[in-house]
């Protein structure tokens, strides 16, 4: 009996996946555990490990094509079996977001155009990450999802699969705010609601296969092509454009002597098993400066300004396919060692694509540090809902005119603060940045 | 050095303060509670608890009339109101002792004295002793408000405090203020046979409650002989010997003068935020209230405020919850940033009782909230007829599309208990359908709640 192969939720927040490449060809035998294809989710590229067995009869969604979770991507069954009825059902049922592989498409058993000629060398048993972490998703272990009746109803109305919504209620129960967060998509705030990539609808044409970040070789020549955008790229694009084009940015720059901070860090690290990062220091200094200028820790809401009761600082972290800002919460009440411990755990998660939405949504202030890339100074786009972002350049020695007009070498770090003028006026931004630089220059001043 | 160092020092031992102390101890914080008066605050000593004791006696007394219908002769002339007072004081004292015991059991020292914040992290007592703490929670509560021309004198013009300490009943009383406290005293005093004139400036008693629901209480009050004057202002008062003449202006400008032997002024309560040293740390109050942000933090780091000193509803259960949140935040324990105001129950202990939470019709109209309503009369539940308390209704406002419960309003016997089934439903996001399909024991008043939910779902049985 031929059956559909459905797109699985390969990450907790995944709603839609793009097939990067098929590792099995039509006609090939598939065993339970074989890797069928690679799927790009909203956060990472994952292997799709088969939970079905038989012969891969038909690939429905070709490379570069996208399918929502639970939508069929292929048909599997016995060799030579007639699956035309099932195919007709599949083609009728799915809004066919992607062209069927191969030019012919309509016919029954035309071989897919596996352009790359990929061999199905699965190697050893692959680790499969299909099942969402049950603790986060309110599953009770028997397939039942803990969710409130209202949340179920709202999810149904919104066409959301409740099993894919992370619960923030008691015992991980999915409640109304989670569904609303999922509906609103990325940036729902720190409600604990999961974020979903923008629900499909306005997807771009999938005319060309997407380049798999890790697997594809660097092309030897430039090629003119239209590359489908990932859900994540779309979120980054939308949020940053919205920030740049609605928040009137202005920029404040200064160069601050960094010796004392470097020394303080060395002194701390000498006594501490784990090395505390420079970023943890910057977060701590920023939090202390925010305490003195709470206006920086706020958000323009149209008719009101939201002042945040907690200093939640995000740090921009580069990922192979984008960036993400894990957030250390309530930095105002934490010491640098605790901030560093939380930060490094978050960065590990960010790099492995395992951050939960509540760990990256709703920064009230953001730091972006490109110093390690050798950048001296740069300007950053404000990361909503925050109203300011600090761009940190490299620390290096520079000639400085000293008090007695002599040129001397000083270790400087260049900072650029981008502010949303709707909320933070120039004088406030300036006082904040100069206080922050005071702390960096002389950390003892935090005690003042 | 006699100075002591705490994680949190709590100013006030009312429902915010003592609960904060216990919660702090549970979360391994070193806490102390500072109280200048008796432990337990207004709620236990001169509010919720003694008033409920008196209401209980009042209702027992009024129920004797029902006995006469059965042919039993009851001589009610022997009522000694000072015994009622004593019983209520006994209840209050027992509760205050309970608070002392609970604090002791949780190793939270109860410091007797008048504390004043003298610096961040420092409270100075009247005797000059200093208490140092990483955090301070201000929970000093509220006191009865006065109005010009009707200042409390403790004899003729009394506050709720005075009314709770009466040792004998007046013959005729004018109550200024038709809020929860005014209505409860009207209920008590009329049950004991006092002639009551209840005056409210706005158009309805309990002005914040659902008007259709309050109308039932107003009808019932009038039927009992209470003179209910809504939309009425008190203009002036002339005190005589042991009595007062109060001139009132009814809606439309008609004036009337009422001669009474007591005037009870219950026009609200004001926060106790003077003289506690807020100015020493730079906390500015707003109309007396302490402004707070998430987790009930004030603008000064390390200082929190909970209960009646903040601008949230002046209710004991709100005070306790706010205090818990503040302390949990201090301890770094997971908590919510603030109470959802739509899940705060209100309870008025009149007869019939009034209980509610969330959106009412007036607010829905004002704020443009789409709603549908389901109303079920008490008399449709057999139990209410059996016990002779069929006056009242259960009313639920819900979202017309999703049926999400927006608010509920009960007027009727035991309404203050019945409200919680609906509140639990709202809080855990159950839908009317869940209540409608759940079996409710027969015969109970709770069946009225079920039938209201069925009304919302379109299959009510008993109307």
């Amino acid at each position: 009996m031929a059956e559909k192969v459905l797109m699985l939720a390969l990450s907790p927040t995944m709603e839609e996946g793009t097939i990067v490449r098929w590792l099995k060809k039509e006609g090939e035998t598939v065993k339970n555990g074989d890797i069928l294809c690679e799927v790009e989710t909203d956060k990472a590229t994952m292997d799709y490990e088969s939970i079905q067995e038989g012969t891969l009869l038909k690939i429905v969604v070709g490379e570069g094509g996208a399918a929502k979770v639970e939508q069929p991507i292929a048909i599997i069954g016995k060799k030579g079996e007639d699956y035309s009825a099932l195919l007709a059902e599949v083609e009728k049922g799915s809004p066919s977001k992607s062209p069927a592989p191969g030019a012919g498409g309509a016919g029954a058993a035309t071989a897919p155009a596996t352009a790359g000629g990929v061999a199905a060398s699965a190697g050893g048993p692959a680790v499969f990450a299909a099942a969402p972490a049950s603790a986060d998703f309110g599953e009770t272990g028997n397939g039942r999802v803990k969710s409130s009746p209202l949340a179920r109803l709202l999810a149904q109305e919104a066409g959301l699969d409740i099993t894919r919504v992370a619960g923030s209620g008691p015992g991980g129960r999915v409640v109304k705010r989670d569904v609303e967060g999922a509906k609103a998509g990325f940036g729902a705030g720190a409600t604990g609601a999961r974020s979903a990539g923008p629900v499909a609808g306005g997807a771009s044409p999938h005319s060309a296969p997407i380049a798999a970040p890790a697997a594809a070789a660097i092309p030897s020549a430039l090629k003119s092509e239209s590359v489908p955008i990932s859900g994540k790229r779309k979120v980054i694009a939308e949020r940053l454009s919205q920030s740049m084009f609605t928040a009137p940015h202005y920029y404040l720059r200064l160069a601050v002597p960094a010796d004392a901070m470097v020394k303080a860090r060395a002194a701390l690290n000498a006594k501490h098993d784990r090395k505390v990062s420079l970023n943890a220091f910057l977060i701590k200094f920023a939090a202390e400066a925010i305490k003195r200028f709470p206006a920086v820790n706020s958000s323009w809401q149209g008719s009101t300004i939201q002042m945040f009761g907690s200093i939640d600082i995000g740090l921009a972290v580069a990922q192979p396919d984008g960036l993400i800002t894990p957030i250390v919460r309530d930095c105002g009440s934490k010491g640098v060692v605790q901030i560093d411990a939380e930060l490094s755990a978050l960065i590990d998660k960010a790099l492995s694509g395992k951050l939960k939405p509540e760990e990256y949504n709703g920064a009230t202030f953001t730091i972006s540090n490109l110093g390690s890339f050798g950048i001296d100074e740069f300007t950053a786009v404000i990361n909503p809902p925050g109203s300011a972002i600090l761009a940190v350049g490299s620390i290096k020695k520079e000639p400085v005119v000293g008090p007695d007009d002599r040129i001397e070498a000083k270790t400087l770090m260049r900072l650029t603060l981008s502010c949303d003028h709707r909320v933070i006026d120039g004088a406030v931004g300036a006082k904040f940045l100069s206080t922050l630089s005071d702390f960096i220059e002389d950390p003892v001043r935090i005690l003042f | 050095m006699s100075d002591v160092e705490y994680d949190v020092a709590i100013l006030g031992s009312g429902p915010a303060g003592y609960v904060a102390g216990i919660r702090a101890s549970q979360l391994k914080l070193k806490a102390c509670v500072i109280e200048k008066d008796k432990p337990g605050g207004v709620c236990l000593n001169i509010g919720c608890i003694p008033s409920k004791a008196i209401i209980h006696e009042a209702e027992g007394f009024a129920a004797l009339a029902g006995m006469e219908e059965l042919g039993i002769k009851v001589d009610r002339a022997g009522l000694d109101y000072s015994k009622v007072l004593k019983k209520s004081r006994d209840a209050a004292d027992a509760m205050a002792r309970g608070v002392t015991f609970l604090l002791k059991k949780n190793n939270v020292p109860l410091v007797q004295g008048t504390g004043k914040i003298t610096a961040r992290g420092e409270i100075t007592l009247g005797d000059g002793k200093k208490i140092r703490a990483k955090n301070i929670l201000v929970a000093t509560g509220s006191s009865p408000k006065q109005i010009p021309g009707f200042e409390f004198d403790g004899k003729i013009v009394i506050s709720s405090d005075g009314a709770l300490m009466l040792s004998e009943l007046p013959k005729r009383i004018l109550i200024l203020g038709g809020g929860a406290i005014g209505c409860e005293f009207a209920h008590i005093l009329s049950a004991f046979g006092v002639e009551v004139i209840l005056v409210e400036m706005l158009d309805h008693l309990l002005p914040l409650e659902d008007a259709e629901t309050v109308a039932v209480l107003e009808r019932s009050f009038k039927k009992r002989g209470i003179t209910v004057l809504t939309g009425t202002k008190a203009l002036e008062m002339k005190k005589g010997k042991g009595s007062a003449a109060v001139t009132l202006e009814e809606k439309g400008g008609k004036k009337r003068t009422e001669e009474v032997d007591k005037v009870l002024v219950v026009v609200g309560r004001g926060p106790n935020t003077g003289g506690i040293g807020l100015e020493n740390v730079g906390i500015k109050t707003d109309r007396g209230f302490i402004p707070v942000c998430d987790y009930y933090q004030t603008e000064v780091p390390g200082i929190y405020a909970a209960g009646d000193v903040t601008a949230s509803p002046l209710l004991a259960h709100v005070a306790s919850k706010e205090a818990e949140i503040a302390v949990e935040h201090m301890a770094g324990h997971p908590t919510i940033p603030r109470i959802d105001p739509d899940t705060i129950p209100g309870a008025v202990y009149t007869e019939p009782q009034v209980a509610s939470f969330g959106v009412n019709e007036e607010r829905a109209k004002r704020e443009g909230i789409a709603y549908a309503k389901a109303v079920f009369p008490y008399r449709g539940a057999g139990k209410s007829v059996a016990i002779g308390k069929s006056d009242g209704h259960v009313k639920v406002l819900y979202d017309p599309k999703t049926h999400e419960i927006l608010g509920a309003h009960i007027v009727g016997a035991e309404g203050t208990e019945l409200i919680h089934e609906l509140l639990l439903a709202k809080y855990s996001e159950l839908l009317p359908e869940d209540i409608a399909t759940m079996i409710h024991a027969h015969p109970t008043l709770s069946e009225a709640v079920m039938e209201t939910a069925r009304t919302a779902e379109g299959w009510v049985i008993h109307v």
Side-chain angles (χ1 to χ4, degrees), chain A residues 189-249:
Chain A
T191 56
R194 80 180 203 113
S195 89
V199 181
S204 58
H206 300 282
S207 51
I210 189 169
I218 297 167
S220 55
L222 295 176
K223 208 163 56 173
S224 179
E225 61 176 343
S226 163
V227 180
I229 51 173
S230 65
K232 182 172 184 177
R233 176 57 45 196
K234 195 166 168 183
V235 168
I236 294 172
E238 281 173 0
R239 274 168 59 91
L240 292 182
S241 318
Q242 202 211 356
S243 168
M244 196 67 190
F245 302 139
T246 59
H249 285 53

Side-chain angles (χ1 to χ4, degrees), chain B residues 23-90:
Chain B
R23 188 75 188 112
S25 164
Q26 288 171 345
L27 296 171
K28 308 276 179 275
L29 296 182
K30 202 167 168 233
C32 72
V33 174
I34 302 157
E35 174 59 58
K36 66 171 179 182
D37 204 331
K38 283 187 199 153
V42 169
C43 167
L44 267 57
N45 291 294
I46 197 80
C48 325
I49 296 298
S51 69
K52 260 76 267 172
I54 297 177
I55 288 171
H56 178 73
E57 302 302 338
E59 289 175 354
F61 183 77
L64 293 175
M67 293 291 112
E68 287 174 1
E69 280 176 27
L70 306 181
I72 298 166
K73 294 273 179 290
V74 184
D75 179 10
R76 292 192 280 164
L79 169 69
D80 179 353
Y81 187 78
S82 70
K83 297 231 163 73
V84 175
L85 173 69
K86 182 167 183 310
K87 274 193 130 173
S88 79
R89 294 326 303 164
D90 288 349

Side-chain angles (χ1 to χ4, degrees), chain A residues 148-151 153-154 157 173-177 291 308-310 330, chain B residues 293-295 297 301 329 401-405 427-431 434:
Chain A
S148 78
L150 179 62
L153 183 83
L154 293 173
E157 283 184 349
R173 183 181 343 145
V174 179
V175 293
K176 179 185 175 188
R177 63 173 174 267
K291 279 188 195 168
F308 297 109
S310 165
D330 198 14
Chain B
C293 61
D294 283 355
Y295 308 105
Q297 303 175 86
H329 186 253
K401 249 179 69 199
T402 62
H403 284 205
E404 176 183 4
I405 296 172
Y427 188 71
S428 43
E429 298 185 355
L430 302 180
L431 296 166
D434 295 293

Side-chain angles (χ1 to χ4, degrees), chain B residues 147-169:
Chain B
I147 40 174
F150 297 85
E151 285 82 5
F152 303 133
D153 60 18
K155 291 193 181 84
I156 295 172
V157 186
I158 55 175
S159 65
S160 58
D161 295 4
L164 284 174
M165 298 304 280
L166 286 176
S167 55
E168 57 185 305
L169 290 168

Side-chain angles (χ1 to χ4, degrees), chain B residues 350-432:
Chain B
T350 44
E351 198 173 304
Q353 295 183 341
V354 178
S356 69
F357 64 82
V359 177
N360 61 35
E361 282 201 71
E362 291 68 38
R363 186 181 132 200
K365 283 174 189 149
R366 206 169 50 236
E367 296 177 10
I369 301 169
Y371 72 96
K373 66 170 173 174
V375 187
F376 183 82
Y378 258 50
R379 87 185 76 84
K383 172 77 178 285
S384 79
V385 177
I387 63 173
K389 297 197 169 165
S390 56
D391 240 14
H393 66 233
V394 179
K395 172 172 174 178
V396 172
L397 301 193
Y398 56 96
D399 184 297
K401 249 179 69 199
T402 62
H403 284 205
E404 176 183 4
I405 296 172
L406 303 173
H409 310 275
I410 301 181
V411 55
E414 307 300 339
T416 57
E417 306 287 344
L418 296 190
I419 194 74
H420 293 97
E421 180 181 0
L422 286 160
L423 182 56
L424 177 64
K426 160 84 181 163
Y427 188 71
S428 43
E429 298 185 355
L430 302 180
L431 296 166

Side-chain angles (χ1 to χ4, degrees), chain A residues 62 80 89 96 98 108 112 150 153 178 200 233 277 308 316 325 428 430 432-433:
Chain A
E89 183 201 319
S96 185
S98 81
L150 179 62
L153 183 83
D178 302 324
R233 176 57 45 196
S277 71
F308 297 109
T325 51
V428 176
F432 167 78
L433 185 60

Side-chain angles (χ1 to χ4, degrees), chain A residues 314-327:
Chain A
L315 180 74
V317 171
Q319 291 176 309
D321 56 341
L323 84 162
I324 199 157
T325 51
I327 298 167

